[in-house]
Amino acid sequence: MCGCGQGYWGWGHRAPSPMLLLSLLLSAAPFGLLGEETRQLLEFDGTNMSNTAADPPGKPYPPYSLAEFSWNNITDSLDPATLSATFQGRPIHDPTRAFANGSLAFRVQAFSRSGRPAQPPRLLHTADTCQLEVALVGASPQGNCSLFGLEVATLGQGPDCPSIQEQHSIDDEYAPAIFQLDQLLWSSLPPGFMQWRPVAYSQKQGGRESALPCHASPLHPTLTYPIPQSPIVRAFFGPQNNFCAFNLTFGASTGPGYWDQHYLSWSMLVGVGPPPMDALSPLVLGIMAVALGAPGLILLGGGLVLLLRHKQYSEYQSIN
């Protein structure tokens, strides 16, 4: 299924099987997920910060480098039935004991067919995709209104960094009140994508009441610091030196936040080939049909009434 050519691995004319794709991701996760590296867990002081789109969104606390985390044995969480596995870790050196009762987890899941997960934001997936869910649980924040984030590094294309594309829709059936989908696209061989909704959740059973805004900063070249290349990145894309990075920040200083239940989760979709395209859901199509069809039915009914009344008067015989 995989073939070697010109110094890198590719899929040839066939997409990878779900189990193979999961195995490839696990061989490099949580670093090097199809050309992406999650490098740092960020934390900011969100006190009195109303503009979460600012970069940074508050005074930064010392970040947590994921290279200095201790991770669990992945074989203990590998589940072939659900094609999933979970990396769970905490800092090796934790002088403040912020992670004494907490952990950072990366759950990777491959899919054997198209569908949607049961938990929001319920991104549409196909058999050529994997979902990565990041969950921060039980860690003590360094401030009362801490905002957390992730630094993500990805391969650039040419001298410039790719841009984050925003797609908007009137359909929010699967992710209530979230009308936007963000994505990155790569035109390399094989082509790939990263897709997410700008929302995180402060409760395990994610819902509208626990939704947190997710802001992505613009991509910028990582020329000021080197990024170690994982074997899976070199195997897929060959030797690359042009990396770009961006920050994802979750939450705002008002409303729900990590401080409510010391829980934060966010998920994205990565895959090979073109990204899945969301069509309008049956619920929205039904609402549109009723909204557009009701005036037509009223006009049709009015026309029938006029025709019947006209017929009654035309059959009346005058006595003169």
Side-chain angles (χ1 to χ4, degrees):
M1 190 168 297
C2 288
C4 183
Q6 299 180 355
Y8 64 91
W9 289 89
W11 299 123
H13 299 291
R14 298 183 61 186
S17 68
M19 197 62 194
L20 176 59
L21 185 56
L22 178 63
S23 300
L24 289 170
L25 290 175
L26 295 182
S27 67
F31 311 104
L33 293 169
L34 280 184
E36 297 165 25
E37 297 190 14
T38 304
R39 303 187 66 246
Q40 295 185 104
L41 174 66
L42 309 174
E43 186 176 355
F44 306 94
D45 181 5
T47 306
N48 300 324
M49 290 298 298
S50 58
N51 182 16
T52 57
D55 190 18
K59 178 184 176 181
Y61 293 109
Y64 298 97
S65 173
L66 301 192
E68 299 175 359
F69 270 49
S70 173
W71 302 95
N72 67 311
N73 188 343
I74 192 62
T75 57
D76 296 336
S77 64
L78 181 61
D79 186 355
T82 60
L83 298 173
S84 65
T86 302
F87 287 88
Q88 191 172 30
R90 50 181 51 90
I92 299 174
H93 304 290
D94 188 15
T96 63
R97 295 188 58 80
F99 280 82
N101 298 312
S103 64
L104 179 67
F106 292 79
R107 183 175 186 268
V108 183
Q109 182 176 11
F111 301 103
S112 59
R113 59 182 181 274
S114 299
R116 296 180 187 273
Q119 292 296 321
R122 303 191 63 191
L123 289 169
L124 176 65
H125 60 75
T126 65
D128 302 331
T129 60
C130 278
Q131 178 176 276
L132 172 67
E133 180 182 5
V134 182
L136 178 64
V137 184
S140 299
Q142 301 178 63
N144 293 331
C145 293
S146 287
L147 304 179
F148 286 92
L150 291 172
E151 182 194 26
V152 180
T154 182
L155 289 171
Q157 293 179 338
D160 300 323
C161 293
S163 59
I164 297 175
Q165 301 178 357
E166 298 180 358
Q167 295 184 351
H168 298 269
S169 172
I170 63 172
D171 196 344
D172 70 338
E173 179 179 358
Y174 302 110
I178 309 300
F179 299 94
Q180 182 177 322
L181 181 72
D182 296 339
Q183 64 181 13
L184 286 176
L185 302 177
W186 293 272
S187 59
S188 56
L189 292 175
F193 66 89
M194 172 183 176
Q195 212 175 50
W196 72 93
R197 288 192 182 274
V199 62
Y201 296 97
S202 62
Q203 296 180 16
K204 190 171 184 179
Q205 300 298 326
R208 189 169 183 174
E209 68 282 353
S210 64
L212 309 176
C214 169
H215 173 72
S217 69
L219 274 78
H220 58 274
T222 60
L223 301 177
T224 56
Y225 53 89
I227 293 181
Q229 294 188 33
S230 65
I232 193 68
V233 173
R234 289 195 298 269
F236 266 78
F237 301 99
Q240 296 281 347
N241 297 315
N242 54 326
F243 277 84
C244 297
F246 65 100
N247 293 341
L248 292 165
T249 308
F250 313 109
S253 57
T254 59
Y258 175 79
W259 51 83
D260 289 331
Q261 298 190 20
H262 283 190
Y263 181 87
L264 174 69
S265 69
W266 171 81
S267 58
M268 71 173 181
L269 207 66
V270 292
V272 178
M277 298 298 293
D278 258 320
L280 291 177
S281 65
L283 176 62
V284 172
L285 289 175
I287 293 174
M288 292 176 62
V290 171
L292 297 176
L297 291 175
I298 293 173
L299 291 175
L300 180 60
L304 290 175
V305 170
L306 291 176
L307 285 174
L308 291 175
R309 292 183 63 183
H310 177 73
K311 184 176 180 180
Q312 281 183 333
Y313 289 128
S314 64
E315 292 177 352
Y316 176 75
Q317 298 296 326
S318 175
I319 60 176
N320 295 329

